C-alpha cells in the first residue's frame, strides 16, 4: 500500500486526540487513526464530567489541594497547578465548540456543577450523566468536517517507526539522534498494513483496563500506546497505580457499566445486603472518600462476609431528581430490572483508570524526539498515586492543547520514504484459539494476583506467567500475519509486565497500591520509573 504522510499522526481518537487534532488543523495536515469507530474509546464512556474551578465558592488552591490529597504525596505540584489553572479556559474551549453541558442558574456559572469523591466543593461540569458522549459527539462532528483532518477508522497501530530501528535502511540517513518517524498501521477491514510517515507522532490510545477480568473500560483499552512507547525506548512511570472504580453495576449481562461517582456525590449510600452502611467505619468522609479508599472498603467487606456485591442506594432522593440527573444510569438499570428510584443498585469494584504511563514533559513530549503522549496513555505527574475523580478529561484537554502549541512552533520538514511492512516470511495463523486462551488467562491471573490488594508472592506468580505468555505470543507474532486480536494481546502482555514490575519495586502501600507485605507508608514519596535495559 502507498505510504501515507501527515504533519502530525495522532494514534487514538478520545478527548486528548481530538483536542489536539482540532487545535492543529488550522494550518497542519493531521492524520487521526482509531482502532474502531471514533466514538468507541473510553472518553465517550465518561459519565461524571470535567473538574475545573468555575464557581465563586471554588478556587485553584482548593482544587490543587484536593488533587494532592487524593494523589497521596506523589503528584507533581507544579504540573498540578499548571493543569488546574488552565482548566477553566479548556472548558470554555469546549463550550465554544458547542458541547451541551447541563444548565443551572444557581451558582453564578450558568451551568450545573456536581461534587464527587475527594472534592471539597461542587466543581464538576457535566452533560447529565453522559458527559463523555456529549463531548465526543461534538468534537467528532467538527473533526469529520475539517478538511485538514484525515480520519482512518478501524486502523490499529502495530508499532512506532524509529530512526534507530531503520539505521542504514533509509535515505537520506537521519542526522539527529533517535526519533520517531511514524508508525506501521494495520487496516483491520482490509487486512493490510499501511506505512504512515509524520513529522510528529502522538500516542493518545487511552489506558489498559482490559488487562483485568473486570473493568469499566471499553474493549479498546488494551494499553497500546504504553506498550508501543516502551518498545520504542520511552521511560514508563507509576504503572502499579491502577485505579479500581468502586461502583460498577453487578449483573451478569451488564458488561462494564459504570455507576458514576456523582451518584455518591449526590447522596448515594453504600450498604450491605441487610441495609447497613459500612463506609463510616472505614473513613470519616464515608461515601465521599477518594476512590482507592472506597474500593478497598468494598473489597474488604465482600471478602470478609463472602458477598458477591454490595449496594449503592440513592432511592431516598426524589424520583424526578434521579431521572433528570442520571437518565443514562436510570434507564440502563431499568433494562436489568433495577429501579434506582425504589431500590439499591448492586455494585462491585472494577479496573477503571491507569494512573501511570509514558513519561512526558508539560508539552506531552516523550523521551523520543518527535513522539508525544497525551491523555491516559501519558504519565504527566498530575495523578500521583490516585487520580482525583473527573481530573482525567481535564488532563486530556490541557495537554492536548499544550502539545498543539508546542507542535505549532515547529517548522515541518520533508518526510523520509520509509520501508514497507515486510510480510515475506510469515503465514496465516493455524489456530486462532491460542490468542483467545492467552487473553483469558492473562486477565484472570491479573485480577487474582495484581488486583486491589497485593502480596509479593502473588506478584511473583503473575510475573512468571507473564514471562511464559510473552514467549508464546512473540513466537506467534514472528511467524504469522498480524491481526487486531494478536496486536492487542501483545500490548496487553507488555503492559501487564510493566504493572507487575512496577508493583514489585514499590515496598510500601500508597494510594492505589496496597501490599499486605508492605502495609506502611515510606517517609519519602518517589515515582517508580522503568527504563529498558535497567
Amino acid at each position: 500500500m502507498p505510504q501515507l504522510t501527515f504533519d502530525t499522526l495522532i494514534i487514538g481518537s478520545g478527548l486528548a486526540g481530538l483536542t489536539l487534532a482540532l487545535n492543529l488543523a488550522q494550518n497542519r495536515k493531521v492524520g487521526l487513526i482509531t482502532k474502531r469507530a471514533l466514538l468507541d474509546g473510553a472518553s465517550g464512556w465518561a459519565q461524571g464530567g470535567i473538574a475545573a474551578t468555575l464557581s465563586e465558592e471554588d478556587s485553584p488552591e482548593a482544587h490543587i489541594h484536593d488533587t494532592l490529597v487524593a494523589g497521596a504525596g506523589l503528584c507533581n505540584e507544579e504540573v498540578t497547578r499548571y493543569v488546574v489553572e488552565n482548566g477553566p479556559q479548556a472548558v470554555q474551549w469546549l463550550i465554544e465548540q458547542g458541547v451541551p453541558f447541563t444548565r443551572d442558574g444557581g451558582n453564578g456559572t450558568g451551568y450545573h456543577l456536581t461534587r464527587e469523591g475527594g472534592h471539597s466543593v461542587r466543581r464538576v461540569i457535566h452533560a447529565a450523566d453522559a458527559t463523555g458522549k456529549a463531548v465526543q459527539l461534538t468534537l467528532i462532528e467538527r473533526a469529520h468536517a475539517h478538511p485538514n483532518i484525515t480520519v482512518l477508522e478501524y486502523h490499529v497501530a502495530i508499532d512506532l517507526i524509529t530512526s534507530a530501528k531503520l539505521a542504514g535502511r533509509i535515505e537520506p540517513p537521519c542526522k539527529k539522534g533517535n526519533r520517531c518517524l511514524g508508525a506501521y498501521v494495520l487496516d483491520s477491514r482490509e487486512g493490510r498494513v499501511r506505512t504512515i510517515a509524520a513529522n510528529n507522532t502522538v500516542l493518545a490510545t487511552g489506558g489498559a483496563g482490559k488487562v483485568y477480568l473486570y473493568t469499566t473500560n471499553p474493549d479498546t483499552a488494551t494499553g497500546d500506546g504504553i506498550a508501543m512507547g516502551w518498545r520504542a525506548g520511552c521511560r514508563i512511570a507509576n504503572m502499579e497505580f491502577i485505579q479500581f472504580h468502586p461502583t460498577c453495576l453487578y449483573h451478569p449481562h451488564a458488561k462494564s457499566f459504570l455507576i458514576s461517582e456523582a451518584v455518591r456525590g449526590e447522596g448515594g449510600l453504600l450498604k450491605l445486603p441487610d441495609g447497613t452502611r459500612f463506609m463510616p467505619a472505614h473513613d470519616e468522609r464515608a461515601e465521599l472518600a477518594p476512590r482507592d479508599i472506597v474500593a478497598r472498603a468494598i473489597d474488604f467487606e465482600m471478602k470478609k462476609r463472602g458477598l458477591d456485591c454490595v449496594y449503592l442506594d440513592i432511592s431516598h432522593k426524589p424520583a424526578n431528581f434521579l431521572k433528570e440527573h442520571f437518565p443514562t444510569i436510570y434507564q440502563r438499570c431499568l433494562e436489568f430490572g433495577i429501579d434506582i428510584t425504589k431500590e439499591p443498585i448492586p455494585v462491585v469494584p472494577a479496573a477503571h483508570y491507569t494512573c501511570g504511563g509514558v513519561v512526558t514533559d508539560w508539552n506531552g513530549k516523550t523521551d523520543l524526539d518527535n513522539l508525544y503522549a497525551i491523555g491516559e496513555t501519558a504519565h504527566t505527574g498530575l495523578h500521583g498515586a490516585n487520580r482525583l475523580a473527573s481530573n482525567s478529561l481535564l488532563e486530556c484537554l490541557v495537554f492536548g492543547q499544550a502539545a498543539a502549541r508546542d507542535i505549532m512552533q515547529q517548522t515541518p520538514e520533508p518526510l523520509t520514504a520509509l520501508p514497507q511492512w515486510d510480510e515475506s516470511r510469515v503465514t496465516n495463523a493455524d489456530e486462532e484459539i491460542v490468542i483467545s486462551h492467552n487473553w483469558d488467562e492473562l486477565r484472570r491471573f491479573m485480577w487474582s494476583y495484581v488486583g486491589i490488594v497485593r502480596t509479593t508472592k502473588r506478584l511473583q506468580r503473575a510475573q512468571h506467567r507473564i514471562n511464559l505468555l510473552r514467549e508464546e505470543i512473540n513466537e506467534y507474532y514472528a511467524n504469522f500475519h498480524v491481526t487486531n486480536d494478536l496486536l492487542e494481546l501483545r500490548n496487553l502482555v507488555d503492559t501487564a509486565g510493566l504493572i507487575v514490575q512496577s508493583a514489585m519495586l514499590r515496598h510500601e502501600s500508597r494510594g492505589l497500591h496496597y501490599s499486605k507485605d508492605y502495609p506502611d507508608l515510606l517517609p519519602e514519596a518517589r515515582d517508580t520509573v522503568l527504563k529498558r535495559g535497567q
Side-chain angles (χ1 to χ4, degrees):
M1 302 181 76
Q3 175 175 299
L4 297 178
T5 60
F6 300 103
D7 293 320
T8 299
L9 169 64
I10 302 172
I11 304 173
S13 62
L15 178 55
L18 285 170
T19 298
L20 175 59
L22 290 168
N23 277 273
L24 283 178
Q26 184 175 351
N27 53 14
R28 289 289 193 276
K29 183 182 176 185
V30 178
L32 184 70
I33 70 169
T34 184
K35 291 202 292 187
R36 296 192 182 177
L38 279 182
L39 193 58
D40 285 340
S43 292
W45 287 32
Q47 295 178 355
I50 303 169
T53 54
L54 302 173
S55 71
E56 293 182 357
E57 70 169 351
D58 199 3
S59 69
E61 295 304 325
H63 190 176
I64 291 167
H65 176 266
D66 292 345
T67 301
L68 297 180
V69 169
L74 264 187
C75 299
N76 182 311
E77 193 165 345
E78 292 181 349
V79 169
T80 301
R81 179 173 296 278
Y82 171 75
V83 173
V84 167
E85 291 181 346
N86 281 277
Q89 65 82 17
V91 170
Q92 182 59 39
W93 178 77
L94 284 182
I95 292 171
E96 292 169 359
Q97 304 308 303
V99 175
F101 290 114
T102 299
R103 293 278 183 173
D104 182 359
N107 56 28
T109 69
Y111 295 95
H112 183 267
L113 303 177
T114 191
R115 181 182 175 189
E116 298 182 348
H119 291 273
S120 55
V121 299
R122 289 178 173 268
R123 67 165 62 96
V124 180
I125 189 170
H126 61 100
D129 62 346
T131 306
K133 185 175 182 180
V135 170
Q136 287 295 96
L137 286 174
T138 302
L139 299 190
I140 285 170
E141 182 179 357
R142 287 187 168 271
H144 273 308
H146 205 293
N148 277 350
I149 299 177
T150 300
V151 176
L152 297 173
E153 294 184 312
Y154 299 94
H155 279 64
V156 186
I158 300 171
D159 251 333
L160 299 171
I161 303 172
T162 66
S163 55
K165 292 179 182 177
L166 299 183
R169 297 178 59 197
I170 53 177
E171 292 290 343
C174 293
K175 296 179 181 179
K176 299 181 180 179
N178 190 26
R179 62 189 180 109
C180 186
L181 305 173
Y184 290 117
V185 177
L186 173 67
D187 181 340
S188 59
R189 286 180 294 195
E190 292 191 17
R192 301 174 69 186
V193 176
R194 290 182 178 273
T195 304
I196 302 181
N199 286 138
N200 291 290
T201 302
V202 185
L203 299 171
T205 61
K210 293 299 285 188
V211 78
Y212 287 98
L213 184 62
Y214 301 110
T215 178
T216 63
N217 291 181
D219 291 341
T220 55
T222 51
D224 302 336
I226 296 169
M228 284 189 289
W230 172 251
R231 292 193 295 263
C234 296
R235 286 173 299 153
I236 306 293
N238 290 358
M239 287 299 293
E240 68 269 39
F241 299 117
I242 302 295
Q243 187 175 81
F244 289 80
H245 197 288
T247 53
C248 185
L249 178 61
Y250 179 73
H251 189 281
H253 303 301
K255 181 182 178 183
S256 305
F257 187 71
L258 173 69
I259 304 299
S260 170
E261 189 98 9
V263 173
R264 285 183 284 124
E266 294 294 342
L269 304 174
L270 285 163
K271 297 179 178 180
L272 298 171
D274 64 3
T276 304
R277 287 181 68 193
F278 58 87
M279 276 310 303
H282 291 270
D283 192 279
E284 62 182 11
R285 293 163 290 186
E287 282 79 6
L288 289 178
R291 288 176 176 175
D292 60 323
I293 294 172
V294 179
R296 271 201 305 276
I298 294 174
D299 183 70
F300 174 85
E301 296 293 343
M302 288 173 58
K303 288 176 178 174
K304 177 183 177 181
R305 304 172 192 279
L307 304 174
D308 291 327
C309 65
V310 296
Y311 294 86
L312 180 58
D313 190 1
I314 197 169
S315 61
H316 51 278
K317 287 283 190 177
N320 287 339
F321 173 88
L322 297 180
K323 293 175 183 178
E324 178 184 349
H325 283 77
F326 305 111
T328 306
I329 294 173
Y330 170 75
Q331 189 58 44
R332 186 66 168 156
C333 287
L334 207 59
E335 292 173 7
F336 297 114
I338 303 164
D339 186 346
I340 69 171
T341 68
K342 299 177 181 178
E343 58 191 317
I345 308 166
V347 294
V348 293
H352 183 59
Y353 191 85
T354 309
C355 288
V358 181
V359 175
T360 71
D361 67 8
W362 291 23
N363 294 315
K365 282 185 173 180
T366 72
D367 299 328
L368 188 61
D369 285 346
N370 303 112
L371 179 68
Y372 293 74
I374 53 177
E376 193 173 349
T377 302
H379 173 265
T380 63
L382 172 64
H383 304 308
N386 181 23
R387 175 178 69 88
L388 182 66
S390 289
N391 269 356
S392 53
L393 295 184
L394 176 66
E395 182 185 41
C396 290
L397 284 168
V398 171
F399 283 96
Q401 292 181 334
R405 288 192 296 270
D406 193 72
I407 291 171
M408 292 283 279
Q409 292 174 2
Q410 304 169 20
T411 302
E413 299 178 358
L415 293 170
T416 303
L418 302 175
Q420 293 293 303
W421 180 254
D422 183 5
E423 293 186 306
S424 61
R425 291 168 291 180
V426 298
T427 61
N428 290 323
D430 49 2
E431 291 185 344
E432 295 283 347
I433 195 69
V434 173
I435 295 176
S436 61
H437 280 183
N438 285 353
W439 183 298
D440 184 65
E441 180 185 350
L442 174 69
R443 297 181 67 205
R444 287 185 182 277
F445 72 64
M446 285 296 291
W447 181 261
S448 299
Y449 298 151
V450 200
I452 296 172
V453 177
R454 298 161 180 176
T455 67
T456 301
K457 183 172 284 187
R458 290 176 187 171
L459 293 174
Q460 290 171 341
R461 287 172 177 163
Q463 189 177 54
H464 176 68
R465 283 162 172 75
I466 287 168
N467 291 337
L468 294 175
L469 282 181
R470 183 183 284 116
E471 287 182 16
E472 191 169 315
I473 292 163
N474 285 343
E475 181 183 359
Y476 202 93
Y477 177 81
N479 289 289
F480 300 115
H481 288 291
V482 294
T483 64
N484 185 26
D485 289 345
L486 173 59
L487 295 174
E488 289 184 330
L489 177 61
R490 179 181 181 233
N491 290 333
L492 277 175
V493 168
D494 282 345
T495 304
L498 294 169
I499 294 170
V500 172
Q501 187 178 349
S502 299
M504 292 182 72
L505 289 171
R506 185 164 294 280
H507 293 171
E508 64 168 346
S509 290
R510 183 182 296 274
L512 299 167
H513 174 76
Y514 184 81
S515 170
K516 284 187 173 182
D517 296 311
Y518 302 100
D520 299 324
L521 199 66
L522 291 177
E524 183 180 359
R526 291 185 177 182
D527 292 327
T528 305
V529 182
L530 304 178
K531 188 174 183 178
R532 289 182 72 90
Q534 287 185 341

